[in-house]
Amino acid sequence: MPTTLNLELATVAYKVVRDIMAVKKGESVLITVDSAGCWTVAEELAKIAESLGARVMVAYHSTPVGVGKVAEPYLPDSLKAAIPQTDVWLELNTQWLGYSAPYEEALVPPNRVRYLCLCGLDVERMVRFFGRLDLKAQDEFQNKVVEVTRRARQMRIVTPAGTDVSFENDPKRPVLSELWCHTPGAHFPLGQIAWAPIEESINGDIVFDGSFYAGGPADLPSLREPITFHVKKGVCVEINGGEEAKLARQWLDSLNDPGMYHEAHLCYGFNPGAKPSGICVEDERIWGVTEWGFGHQGIQFKADGVSAVSHLDGICLNSSVWQDGEQVLNEGQVVHPELVELARKLGK
Ligand SMILES: [Fe+2]
């Protein structure tokens, strides 16, 4: 009998729809999946939502070339109309629709959709991400990371690949812990802490050595050579590296939008189940990575708000992080005294 993990998937879908999304009877649930995404996961999420009394629709469509606003011309009008009109939106697309016009519309009143990005997650990844995890222990750890990060003003990140970047945090901006999706707005899978440092304070080299996702031809999983962004006052002024760096530069230039070179957010990856897999949503959650976003800045960061035609994410493996001189991570391992014991409970 082939391994399908179908029982595990049922458990995970139940956990996501009932516990994480808190779907209630009578709510509208929209599940979107492009043709490169995983239909099996879409079907399972739909079944669980239906069984909880929700009114469910699965939207299956061809795969856009590019993400964000770049994906918009590929979308059926019926899909664009449906996205802001649902209570809950689960997105399984590989070429994600985040930061597109229907996405932005879905997040502002009066629509106020509860959105969860599950972009590119297939059955095995869903099981790794959600299945065997103690949500309470994960929540406790993430909340402590938020608390510790909120105290930080001056930060520095160094990686073995050559990242050395310093910046300052704005205490008035939120530090987002991604786990529960009970409130309207944009949510991402558990195991990520995200915020937007003060853009003009960011200076140094950011060396992406995990993977790099800018959509279309510049989705570059498992980089053969690192891509280096030289950053001055929050803006990437030069990109260096090998063939993949060249491809990234060509794609970004082709978008013809200077906003694509502006730093948009920073994240910690802390999902104990995530491993390098060539999917952005998983790679950016590998334990101990830092991830930088450039281009369009989500409204959830309550920052200065660079608007751009798309967005890219790049991953720095085995990060060492200091905040106000105190070390938080050492080459991907948690060393901050307030976090060590909570990480141990997660097997880390
Ligand atoms: Fe991002």
Side-chain angles (χ1 to χ4, degrees):
M1 189 175 168
T3 303
T4 61
L5 292 174
N6 60 348
L7 296 178
E8 288 82 355
L9 179 62
T11 307
V12 165
Y14 189 68
K15 216 170 181 176
V16 168
V17 176
R18 193 199 65 161
D19 299 335
I20 291 176
M21 297 305 300
V23 168
K24 290 176 279 301
K25 191 175 178 184
E27 284 191 315
S28 290
V29 173
L30 173 67
I31 298 164
T32 60
V33 55
D34 61 29
S35 56
C38 184
W39 175 259
T40 307
V41 174
E43 199 176 15
E44 199 66 29
L45 291 168
K47 283 189 211 166
I48 300 294
E50 187 78 25
S51 69
L52 290 170
R55 293 171 292 142
V56 185
M57 182 165 80
V58 181
Y60 180 61
H61 58 94
S62 59
T63 305
V65 180
V67 298
K69 290 182 174 52
V70 179
E72 279 175 35
Y74 300 90
L75 303 180
D77 290 339
S78 51
L79 177 58
K80 292 182 200 167
I83 286 172
Q85 295 300 321
T86 186
D87 296 305
V88 170
W89 172 20
L90 298 166
E91 186 186 18
L92 288 163
N93 300 45
T94 57
Q95 295 294 301
W96 41 266
L97 310 182
Y99 307 139
S100 65
Y103 169 94
E104 297 286 8
E105 199 187 331
L107 299 185
V108 294
N111 298 310
R112 309 282 285 151
V113 171
R114 301 203 300 289
Y115 163 82
L116 176 60
C117 167
L118 299 168
C119 295
L121 295 186
D122 59 9
V123 175
E124 285 190 21
R125 292 185 179 100
M126 287 291 287
V127 172
R128 282 207 292 275
F129 259 52
F130 300 104
R132 301 182 178 106
L133 196 63
D134 179 342
L135 292 181
K136 195 167 165 283
Q138 181 74 21
D139 192 34
E140 214 180 335
F141 172 76
Q142 290 189 196
N143 288 340
K144 187 56 82 174
V145 176
V146 168
E147 190 189 314
V148 166
T149 308
R150 283 191 62 81
R151 292 204 296 262
R153 293 301 293 266
Q154 297 292 335
M155 296 192 69
R156 180 180 176 215
I157 302 177
V158 173
T159 67
T163 297
D164 193 345
V165 61
S166 300
F167 54 90
E168 192 182 331
N169 289 336
D170 179 345
K172 292 187 290 300
R173 295 183 184 181
V175 176
L176 307 167
S177 176
E178 302 296 351
L179 201 162
W180 308 112
C181 314
H182 298 173
T183 53
H187 299 282
F188 297 85
L190 55 84
Q192 190 175 61
I193 307 294
W195 73 102
I198 299 170
E199 290 78 9
E200 309 78 53
S201 74
I202 306 167
N203 288 294
D205 288 345
I206 300 173
V207 182
F208 301 120
D209 61 335
S211 36
F212 182 90
Y213 298 97
D219 267 353
L220 302 166
S222 311
L223 290 170
R224 288 191 298 276
E225 290 179 76
I227 298 174
T228 300
F229 273 32
H230 301 283
V231 178
K232 281 191 184 159
K233 295 187 175 177
V235 179
C236 172
V237 293
E238 198 182 333
I239 300 175
N240 289 124
E243 283 305 306
E244 290 156 310
K246 206 167 131 190
L247 188 60
R249 202 167 41 228
Q250 281 168 352
W251 171 250
L252 293 177
D253 284 348
S254 77
L255 295 176
N256 201 21
D257 183 349
M260 287 303 297
Y261 293 95
H262 284 249
E263 189 276 346
H265 67 70
L266 170 62
C267 303
Y268 280 124
F270 283 128
N271 185 315
K275 59 183 191 183
S277 76
I279 294 288
C280 184
V281 170
E282 178 156 26
D283 291 351
E284 65 190 7
R285 283 167 179 74
I286 295 167
W287 192 275
V289 305
T290 46
E291 183 226 22
W292 292 88
F294 282 76
H296 192 78
Q297 187 176 54
I299 54 174
Q300 69 268 30
F301 295 111
K302 297 187 167 57
D304 293 342
V306 173
S307 183
V309 70
S310 192
H311 179 91
L312 69 87
D313 293 296
I315 291 140
C316 305
L317 301 171
N318 303 312
S319 296
S320 297
V321 180
W322 289 264
Q323 59 175 60
D324 300 319
E326 186 172 35
Q327 194 166 10
V328 181
L329 284 180
N330 183 43
E331 296 196 359
Q333 296 304 309
V334 171
V335 293
H336 192 283
E338 293 174 58
L339 296 171
V340 168
E341 182 56 24
L342 294 170
R344 198 192 55 75
K345 284 186 191 167
L346 295 167
K348 291 294 182 181

